[in-house]
């Protein structure tokens, strides 16, 4: 048999992957910005709400509207939190910035946040983009090479909305590097890019809706003196100054994670409703009565997990916000709360894949929402600090005794015992490697870095459990116990080996019964919840599905045709 490689050689143009074919269409991009405008103009957020992180700011980020178009929603969060939030840090003595913020609040322009570069993501402090001070006080903004191109904020004029960005660049004064500073940079006027700025939209992300995420470069763009945000002086401690300038990224860590929790809730709701109406024969006889697929344990288990996670991590999000916004806290403590919350949620978010798989081929299509939500949520794991790398930094610094996370309120709980075991094990290993002073060594890389994410996930599960236990009436005991059981089930063999549960067989039996018992509670909860108001998936009901099918393009033969190929005389 001839290899199919011959096709690639004979027809190279046919099989060439051309990214231009995958770039989002302008109508699709325009729709994203119309939805962004709709959300932004429907909220009465003030600059004080954004600057001071009031409950109104957080309620916006907890709203389930995020799940109707998560591509648009991410830009809403960037607009309010990263762009306006950063501007608000400098606006109190700057009338020009106050006027710009008013424009952004009215959505006369859309705000972006340009920090990462092609060659510098998590190490953005090493960025290469420069802003060189000129003799007249203006700045020359320049991309010195390919690695310095900014990615991936949408920057093209396709959306029909003027774009302005908070952009970070190295301030160069008389040939000396003064560190990374934020600047206000207008990108386009809604019709064309400003002179010297080039936006190259990327192919649409798999599973996402069209948006002009782009690689953006600057060719000696002249910025006015007012473009600089903050002091032009060289910082005494560059690392600390960088984190202070970019601290809204930590706010974004929580904000985008809240949207992932909304996604888990919606996925569980959609699949629960579909599984109630989708039926199969209840026996081998042709006339056997049909039963809902929700009756099968394998169908309801991921749905229950998603539902429980949604309740638990929504509540834990409230706890995290309450502790994050407390005044006079060092940056690293606030960041530790945000990073720990994110680790727990994105560990739980893997359940979304289990959920949409239970929809068969139906679950794979974006019009049923679940795959889109799951894929965009997966992107959230890398946004505002890659979850793996933030866990590595957080766990390493805790192992180095630089600071601590909150200790267990009750060290006798199952989750607290496993957490303690993992941390003790890791500390012993660090000691055996010569201590934290060797944290840059190959041995630390091999033996400690792989432990970091499981460490923070274990702590996050314990903290989520404690937050739920002390939430009053917000989380029922049945849901709390189910969450603990779900977490223990992930590592049941360890709990058995430590003598913390009697046997694997008895635990599996009791867990199966617990899943069965909580299903009616879940369905009643869903009937009374707001999730149904945010769902557009046509598989939700027979009526919605029939309407969806009727609106699809239809291709058929001539009227009266019996099908197949018909001869023509």
């Amino acid at each position: 048999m001839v290899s199919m490689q011959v096709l690639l050689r004979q027809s190279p143009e046919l099989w060439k992957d051309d990214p231009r074919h995958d770039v989002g269409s302008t109508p699709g991009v325009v729709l994203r910005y119309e939805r962004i405008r709709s959300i932004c103009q429907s909220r009465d957020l003030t600059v004080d709400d954004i600057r001071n992180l009031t409950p109104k700011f957080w309620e916006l980020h907890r709203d389930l509207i995020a799940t109707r178009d998560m591509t648009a929603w991410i830009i809403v969060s960037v607009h309010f939190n990263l762009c306006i939030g950063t501007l608000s840090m400098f606006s109190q003595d700057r009338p020009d910035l106050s006027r710009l913020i008013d424009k952004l609040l009215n959505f006369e322009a859309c705000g972006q946040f340009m920090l990462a570069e092609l060659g510098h993501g998590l190490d953005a402090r090493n960025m290469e983009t420069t802003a060189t001070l000129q003799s007249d006080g203006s700045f020359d903004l320049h991309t010195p090479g390919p690695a310095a191109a900014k990615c991936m904020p949408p920057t093209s004029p396709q959306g029909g909305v003027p774009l302005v960005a908070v952009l970070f660049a190295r301030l160069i004064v008389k040939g000396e590097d003064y560190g990374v500073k934020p600047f206000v940079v207008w990108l386009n006027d809604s019709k064309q890019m400003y002179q010297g700025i080039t936006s190259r939209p990327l192919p649409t992300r798999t599973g996402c809706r069209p948006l002009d995420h782009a690689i953006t470069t600057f060719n000696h763009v002249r910025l006015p003196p007012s473009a600089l945000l903050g002091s032009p002086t060289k910082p005494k401690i560059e690392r600390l100054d960088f984190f202070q300038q970019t601290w809204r990224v930590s706010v974004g860590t929580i904000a985008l994670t809240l949207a992932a929790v909304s996604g888990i809730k919606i996925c569980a709701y959609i699949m629960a409703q579909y599984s109630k109406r989708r039926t199969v024969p209840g026996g081998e006889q042709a006339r056997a009565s049909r039963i809902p697929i929700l009756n099968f344990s394998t169908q309801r288990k991921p749905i229950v997990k998603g539902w429980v996670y949604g309740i638990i991590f929504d509540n834990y999000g409230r706890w995290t916000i309450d502790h994050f916004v407390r005044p006079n806290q060092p940056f690293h403590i606030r960041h530790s709360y945000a990073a720990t919350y994110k680790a727990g949620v994105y560990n739980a978010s893997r359940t979304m894949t289990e959920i949409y798989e239970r929809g068969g081929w139906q679950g794979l299509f974006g019009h049923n929402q679940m795959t889109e939500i799951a894929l965009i949520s997966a992107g959230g794991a890398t946004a505002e600090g890659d979850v793996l790398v933030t866990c590595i930094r957080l766990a390493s610094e805790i192992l180095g005794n630089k600071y601590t996370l909150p200790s267990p309120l009750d060290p006798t709980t199952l989750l607290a015992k496993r957490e303690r075991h993992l941390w003790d094990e890791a500390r012993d290993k660090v000691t055996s490697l010569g201590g934290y002073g060797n944290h840059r060594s190959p041995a630390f890389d091999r033996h400690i870095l792989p432990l970091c994410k499981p460490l923070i996930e274990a702590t996050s599960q314990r903290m989520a459990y404690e937050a739920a236990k002390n939430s009053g009436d917000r989380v029922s005991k049945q849901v709390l116990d189910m969450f603990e059981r779900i977490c223990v089930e992930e590592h049941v063999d360890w709990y058995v080996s430590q003598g913390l549960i009697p046997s694997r067989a008895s635990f599996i039996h009791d867990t199966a019964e617990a899943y069965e018992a909580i299903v009616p509670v879940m369905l009643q909860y869903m009937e009374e919840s707001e999730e149904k108001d945010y769902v557009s998936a046509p598989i939700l009901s027979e009526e919605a599905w029939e309407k969806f099918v009727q609106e699809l393009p239809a291709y058929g033969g001539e009227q009266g045709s019996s099908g197949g190929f018909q001869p023509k005389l």
Side-chain angles (χ1 to χ4, degrees):
M1 180 180 291
V2 179
S3 169
M4 287 293 181
Q5 289 174 338
V6 69
L7 293 179
L8 305 181
R9 292 193 296 269
Q10 290 177 345
S11 308
E13 290 301 315
L14 176 65
W15 291 96
K16 178 182 177 182
D17 287 327
D18 189 342
R20 291 174 298 176
H21 296 162
D22 298 321
V23 172
S25 65
T26 297
V29 174
V30 170
L31 177 59
R32 298 287 82 68
Y33 280 98
E34 289 175 351
R35 289 180 173 180
I36 294 165
R37 183 192 303 276
S38 173
I39 295 172
C40 291
Q41 293 184 339
S42 71
R43 311 300 297 206
D44 56 348
L45 281 182
T46 67
V47 65
D48 289 333
D49 289 323
I50 297 168
R51 180 193 295 119
N52 300 322
L53 303 177
T54 66
K56 192 185 294 186
F57 172 85
W58 292 113
E59 284 307 308
L60 168 66
H61 285 87
R62 292 184 62 253
D63 199 295
L64 294 174
I65 192 67
T67 62
R68 283 300 294 266
D69 189 335
M70 293 193 81
T71 303
W73 175 255
I74 290 172
I75 303 305
V76 170
S77 183
V78 170
H79 175 82
F80 280 124
N81 173 50
L82 294 179
C83 184
I84 298 178
T86 301
L87 292 172
S88 72
M89 296 163 55
F90 306 97
S91 65
Q92 289 176 304
D93 298 318
R94 292 273 306 267
D96 60 320
L97 292 183
S98 295
R99 289 192 294 272
L100 174 57
I101 289 172
D102 288 341
K103 285 179 176 290
L104 291 166
L105 288 172
N106 293 325
F107 207 73
E108 296 172 33
C110 183
Q112 300 295 346
F113 187 80
M114 305 184 78
L115 177 63
E117 298 177 350
L118 279 178
H120 305 283
L122 293 164
D123 68 326
R125 200 156 57 94
N126 299 316
M127 69 176 58
E128 300 174 41
T129 301
T130 57
T132 304
L133 180 65
Q134 305 298 295
S135 59
D136 62 355
S138 64
F139 301 93
D140 180 275
L141 178 66
H142 187 61
T143 304
K150 293 293 184 182
C151 59
M152 53 181 262
T155 56
S156 83
Q158 279 183 282
V161 178
L163 298 182
V164 61
V166 171
L167 180 145
F168 289 82
R170 310 199 76 82
L171 175 60
I172 307 299
V173 180
K174 296 180 179 179
E176 187 177 354
D177 186 346
Y178 272 42
V180 174
K181 304 284 186 180
F183 295 83
V184 175
V185 180
W186 282 93
L187 303 170
N188 69 62
D189 63 0
S190 81
K191 296 180 176 62
Q192 62 183 8
M193 303 299 294
Y194 284 111
Q195 186 174 357
I197 305 175
T198 302
S199 173
R200 292 179 171 85
L202 292 160
T204 300
R205 244 181 72 195
T206 301
C208 301
R209 304 192 189 197
L211 189 65
D212 54 327
H213 291 293
I215 295 172
T216 309
T217 54
F218 303 86
N219 184 21
H220 297 291
V221 176
R222 186 60 62 93
L223 303 178
S226 60
L228 175 65
L229 298 174
S231 170
T233 60
K234 188 173 184 178
K236 293 181 180 179
I237 306 174
E238 186 178 339
R239 182 175 183 271
L240 178 61
D241 184 68
F242 176 79
F243 286 131
Q244 289 174 339
Q245 307 273 21
T246 60
W247 95 275
R248 296 294 300 204
V249 172
S250 286
V251 178
T253 298
I254 300 176
L256 292 186
T257 303
L258 291 171
V261 175
S262 296
I264 296 172
K265 291 180 179 181
I266 292 295
C267 286
Y269 179 85
I270 292 171
M271 190 49 62
Q273 304 310 310
Y274 173 69
S275 299
K276 284 196 301 181
R277 79 168 186 85
R278 174 70 168 172
T279 61
V280 294
E284 295 182 1
Q285 297 180 357
R287 296 182 178 273
S289 60
R290 300 179 69 86
I291 61 173
I293 59 174
L294 189 63
N295 286 17
F296 296 98
S297 62
T298 48
Q299 186 73 13
R300 59 178 175 259
K301 186 172 182 177
I303 299 171
V304 168
K305 285 172 66 176
W307 173 67
V308 169
Y309 283 148
I311 294 172
I312 292 292
F313 283 104
D314 179 76
N315 179 75
Y316 181 25
R318 295 173 188 269
W319 182 97
T320 300
I321 291 165
D322 179 61
H323 286 71
F324 184 89
V325 301
R326 290 180 180 179
N328 303 319
Q329 289 192 102
F331 165 81
H332 61 272
I333 298 299
R334 289 185 173 186
H335 176 74
S336 71
Y337 290 136
T340 304
Y341 178 57
K342 180 174 182 174
V345 169
Y346 283 99
N347 180 48
S349 71
R350 293 179 298 180
T351 302
M352 286 191 278
T353 302
E354 297 180 59
I355 289 172
Y356 74 67
E357 286 176 348
R358 300 274 47 79
W361 68 270
Q362 297 259 40
L364 300 176
F365 280 84
H367 58 255
N368 285 321
Q369 293 183 265
M370 295 173 289
T371 47
E372 178 189 334
I373 291 172
L375 287 169
I376 296 184
S377 294
T382 64
E384 323 298 41
D386 180 275
V387 68
L388 173 61
V389 178
T390 55
C391 285
I392 288 172
R393 188 176 79 178
L394 177 56
S396 297
E397 292 180 346
I398 291 172
L399 290 169
N401 297 316
K402 292 192 173 184
Y403 50 90
T404 61
L405 289 169
S407 299
L409 299 175
D410 180 0
T412 66
T413 64
L414 291 174
L415 299 184
K417 287 182 176 180
R418 180 172 177 273
E419 177 200 17
R420 172 66 181 273
H421 175 87
L422 293 181
W423 281 104
D424 286 348
E425 193 174 61
R427 288 190 175 95
D428 289 344
K429 191 64 180 177
V430 170
T431 300
S432 73
L433 296 175
Y436 179 74
N438 294 319
H439 69 282
R440 299 288 186 187
S441 70
F444 197 95
D445 169 45
R446 285 194 303 273
H447 298 288
I448 302 301
L449 265 57
L451 305 179
C452 292
K453 190 164 176 278
L455 282 171
I456 303 303
E457 288 172 348
T459 298
S460 185
Q461 287 182 341
R462 186 265 300 169
M463 291 174 69
Y465 177 83
E466 290 180 344
K469 191 173 183 179
N470 293 281
S471 66
D473 296 332
R474 193 177 294 135
V475 180
S476 70
K477 187 177 186 305
Q478 190 173 10
V479 170
L480 177 68
D481 291 345
M482 193 73 228
F483 174 69
E484 181 183 46
R485 188 170 287 279
I486 290 169
C487 294
V488 170
E489 186 180 24
E490 291 179 8
H491 309 283
V492 61
D493 290 334
W494 180 86
Y495 286 97
V496 172
S497 69
Q498 299 296 310
L500 297 176
I501 56 178
S503 72
R504 189 175 188 277
S506 64
F507 177 83
I508 291 174
H509 176 272
D510 293 344
T511 299
E513 296 299 318
Y515 273 108
E516 174 80 16
I518 207 168
V519 169
V521 179
M522 176 187 73
L523 295 178
Q524 181 61 38
Y525 182 98
M526 288 180 171
E527 282 295 314
E528 300 168 359
S529 72
E530 62 177 346
E531 276 86 338
K532 58 181 174 293
D533 298 328
Y534 292 88
V535 172
S536 60
I539 59 170
L540 214 63
S541 68
E542 294 288 352
E543 296 76 19
W545 178 252
E546 183 176 345
K547 182 175 184 294
F548 171 77
V549 171
Q550 290 303 315
E551 291 176 349
L552 293 174
Y555 299 89
E558 296 179 8
Q559 188 173 5
S561 169
S562 60
F565 292 99
Q566 301 296 316
K568 290 188 177 182
L569 301 176

